[in-house]
Structure formats: structure tokens, C-alpha cells
Amino acid sequence: MSIEKLKTDIAIQFKQAGKCYVNGSEKQMVLQNITGDVPAGAVVTLVGPSGSGKSTLLSLCNLLLTPDEGEVRIEGKEVREWDVNKLRQHAALAFQTAPMIPGTVHDNLMLAARLHDISLQSPEELIQYVGLSKNILPRSAEELSGGQKQRVALARTLVNQSSILMLDEMTSALDPSAAKEIEELIIKIHKDEQKTILWVTHDLEQARRVGDYTWLLANGRLIEKAETHSFFHYPEKELTRRFLQGELAGGKDL
Amino acid sequence: MSLFTLSLALVFVGLAILLSSGLKLGLEKDMVIAVVRSAVQLLVIGYVLTFVFSSNSPFFTIVMVVLMIAVAAQNIVKRKYGFPKLGWRVVVTLFAIEAVSMLFLIGLNIIPPAPRYIIPFSGMIIGSSMIIASLLLNRLNAEIISRKAEINVVLSLGGTPKQAVHMILKDAVRASMIPSIDSAKTIGLVQLPGMMTGQIIAGADPVQAVRFQLIIVFSSLATAALTSIILGSLIYPALFNKHQQLSFKEY
Ligand SMILES: Nc1ncnc2c1ncn2[C@@H]1O[C@H](COP(=O)(O)OP(=O)(O)OP(=O)(O)O)[C@@H](O)[C@H]1O
Ligand SMILES: [Mg+2]
């Protein structure tokens, strides 16, 4: 295997990446020394207490935030060297709240196509692919239920045919059955399109079910990264054990 | 009108001050300041205008216009919106508006190129432009804060900053123009415009006064559209950094 091939087998690579926020005169490190690889085609589930920096980490990957330290490489190329619009088409990000653009479901579905001036063959097919009826297309997107919005948000990112999909707590606000349906939809997308998925979830059962690898983030540090099975059954770090037992609520007691 | 008769009008203010203290509104001090300031400012302007008109020199006219733009810009910027480097953008907008309006009004011979016309018209145009600019910034500020998620959705799909703010900018531009359009629709029905009233009181033919007022109405509609569009397109690039991230500080 050539070096080039090896390089691109890693979809996302963090190299001592760090991020700080400046609040007035105070500087707060929210991510420190993050090093890890997300293999192409894998599902990595990212867990951690609230405020540990999970969303921030995702935003570094599509340059919605700029790393202050270290590097983040997408398919071998540092995010700041990418053409940013191409990068974001390549590494899609779906937000926790699935914010809708004012307008119809159809407008939301067509958003990426409109932005990049490409024609979408069949919005009907796409909406059915994510498990919604095509009758929903002319409806106002704002009136949809939480689960329906998440489906539309997923469909919206699919238009770009990204090779990487980052999901930020997509199912947190949903009831268990709706959450399970979205989870199955994501698994289907993963199977059909061979996407690399970086999946933030606070549902540990979900993280265990869907992950190939699982990472634990606490207080801005990557505490443990392992194959999902061993992460849950043979955690190496004391902190991971405590987290799995539900003892790490906030980030403060670390 | 003598200064004595003018001072009789102060009786009105005295009444308001009495009411304010009677009802414990706590506005007496502000009212006194307002009376003194308006009297001093207007009397000074009266003398300055007399001087500028009689000197009939383009230099003083330009100084007056520049001063008006400076004060208007200062008035807009002091409100501390989250927009970076707002000052020069506002100044450029106001200059552009003033230049376009004067080219139009003088070029088409709608008003004669004399200080007596240029200065009051400039004042009204810059003044209404200032109000429109404030409305636009206010609205844009609020919309960006409440619609941040929407902007980030577009950016995350690989959209450009321009695409990301397009809808929001359009809404803010619309909102800033609506009051001008509405007031143009009802003008003369509810309230006679100040300038027209002034001319009529000073003895001008009402029809003549109406003609001038119509020039004002038409130019403020044009100004409203131009101000919003120019300022809007100058301002949106400043909302994003070089990595196409929304970099907007909330105040
Ligand atoms: N724009 C910001 N300015 C300052 N601090 C921020 C900002 N965004 C996030 N933070 C802080 O950074 C830290 C990490 O936030 P982040 O949203 O990445 O956590 P998270 O792990 O996604 O949490 P949650 O599970 O609640 O979504 C938190 O302490 C948060 O308060
Ligand atoms: Mg989060």
C-alpha cells in the first residue's frame, strides 16, 4: 500500500488539537491536546459529560471553529488548507436542534443544491429515503415535529454527498422510539453510502450499539479511545469507569 | 416674531415640567436640558446659516454637509452594535447617499445649486438616511443573534457568507424601509410635514410648499432604499472572518 493510500485511510486526524474561548479577559481552554484518528468508513461514537467540548470538537472538523493549537486533518489535508466551502461539503455537520430554514420542507431539502447550483433529481425520492412521505414536501418546515426535523436535516446533508458525517446529539431531544428510528436511519445511511461517521451522543447504550470505536471526552481532554466493545467492557482509565457508572455529571469535579 | 413672544412658548414647557414633578415622573431635569439645548443649537444654526447663505461660497456649504454626515455617523455608531469597523462603512454610505441625491436633485434642475437649497435638503436626506441606517443595524443585530443557527446551517452545507446572510439581510432591509413607505402613504392625512408647515407659516404658497415636500418624500423613499442596500452590502462581509465563520460579538 502506498503512503498516499495510507494517509487517506484516515478520514479525520486530530494532532494535539486545542481550542480556547476568550470571555472578556478570561481565557478558557475547552479542548486540550486532542490526538486521535477516525478511520475512513468507521463509526466513532463520542461521549462525555455536558460541557466537555464534544460540539466544539465537531466544529473544528469543518472549520466552523478554528483550532488554536495543533492540527485537524481531513483526509490528510489540514482544515485551514482546504477550500473552506469544499471542506464543509465534504465533512457534513448535523446540529442537535436541526434548525430549519424558513420555508417549506422542500426548500430545506433543496438548500444544498441551491447553494451549489446543482440540480437535485428527485426530492420525492430523498424525502422517502429518510422515512417521510412526499406529501410533507410543501409543508412549512417550522411545523414539523422534532423527529421529522432531524430527518429533514439528515436528508439536507445527504445532498452534498459528503464522505464524512458528523452528528451532534441528533437524538437527545427525541422520545425513545423516535430516537431509535433516527438511529436506524443513520445506520442505513452508513451502510448505503459508506460514510465515515463521528457521532456525538449522550446515550451510552446507543454509543455501544452503533460504534466501531468510542472516545471519551471529559473536561476538554480525550480521556480514552478504544474499540467500542473494549471501551465498554474493559475500560482502561479510572475516569472512564466512573463515567460509565454515571459518576461524572458535569465537568467540574475532575 | 420677537424673542419675547418666542419666550412665551416656554410657558408650555413650564406646564409640562409642573406635570412631571406633580406625577413624580422624574423628567424635570431632562426637560430643562432639552429646552436649553434645543434653543441654543437652533439659534446658533440660525446664525450660522445666515452667514453661510450670505457668503455664498461652496466651501462653507461643503463644510456644513461634512459636519452633518459626521454627526449623523457618530449618532449611529455610538449605539454599539456588534458590527466590527462600523464607522467608515456608515460614513461611506452617508456620503454615497448625499452624493447621489445632490447629483440627482441639482443635475435634473429640481433644486437650484445654492446653499439655501443644498443645506436644508442635505440635512433632511442625511437625517432620514441616519434613521434608516439605525433601523437596519438594529434589526440586523437582532436577527443575527436570533438566527445564528440558520446561518451556521448554511455555512455547514458549504454555503458562502453571502448566501448565509442573504435571507436575513433581505428581511432587515425590508423592515428598515417599511416605516418610510408607510409614512409616505399617510403623509398629509394625519400630520402635515414639518417643512411644509414651516413654509406655509412663513407665508409661502401652499401649492409651492407641497411641491417641495413631494421632492422630500420622493427622495426619502429613494434614500431609504439606497441606504439600506448600500450599508447592508458593506456590512455583511465584516460579520465573517477569513475562514467563513460568523464572528459577531453580542452586546
Ligand atoms: N461561544 C462560546 N464562547 C465561550 N465558551 C463557549 C462557547 N461555546 C462553548 N463554550 C464552552 O466550551 C465548553 C465546551 O462546550 P461544548 O458545547 O463543546 O460542550 P459539549 O460537550 O458539546 O456539551 P453538551 O453535551 O452540553 O452539548 C463549555 O464549557 C462551554 O461553556
Ligand atoms: Mg454539545
Side-chain angles (χ1 to χ4, degrees), chain A residues 50-51 53-56 96 168-169 200:
Chain A
S50 186
K54 304 181 295 294
S55 301
T56 307
Q96 173 171 355
D168 195 353
E169 308 208 29
V200 172

Side-chain angles (χ1 to χ4, degrees), chain A residues 20-23 28-31 48-58 65 96 168-169 200 202 217 220, chain B residues 148:
Chain A
C20 66
Y21 283 120
V22 185
N23 274 333
Q28 185 201 2
M29 286 302 294
V30 291
L31 284 177
S50 186
S52 56
K54 304 181 295 294
S55 301
T56 307
L57 192 69
L58 294 192
L65 291 173
Q96 173 171 355
D168 195 353
E169 308 208 29
V200 172
H202 71 196
L217 204 58
Chain B
K148 229 179 207 163

Side-chain angles (χ1 to χ4, degrees), chain B residues 65-86:
Chain B
V65 169
V66 169
L67 270 178
M68 288 192 273
I69 289 177
V71 173
Q74 167 64 24
N75 226 320
I76 295 167
V77 173
K78 76 172 182 215
R79 271 183 231 200
K80 278 271 174 226
Y81 301 102
F83 305 107
K85 307 210 183 86
L86 182 59

Side-chain angles (χ1 to χ4, degrees), chain B residues 139-199:
Chain B
R139 181 62 178 248
L140 199 55
N141 195 72
E143 293 270 324
I144 288 171
I145 290 169
S146 67
R147 293 166 75 177
K148 229 179 207 163
E150 214 179 287
I151 295 176
N152 279 326
V153 163
V154 176
L155 292 177
S156 294
L157 288 172
T160 60
K162 189 176 179 178
Q163 290 172 321
V165 290
H166 180 258
M167 280 289 286
I168 289 169
L169 199 54
K170 208 172 101 184
D171 286 352
V173 166
R174 272 178 56 94
S176 70
M177 290 177 57
I178 285 172
S180 308
I181 296 173
D182 281 351
S183 80
K185 279 189 201 152
T186 57
I187 196 163
L189 297 179
V190 182
Q191 183 194 23
L192 290 181
M195 184 198 84
M196 204 173 96
T197 316
Q199 274 192 297

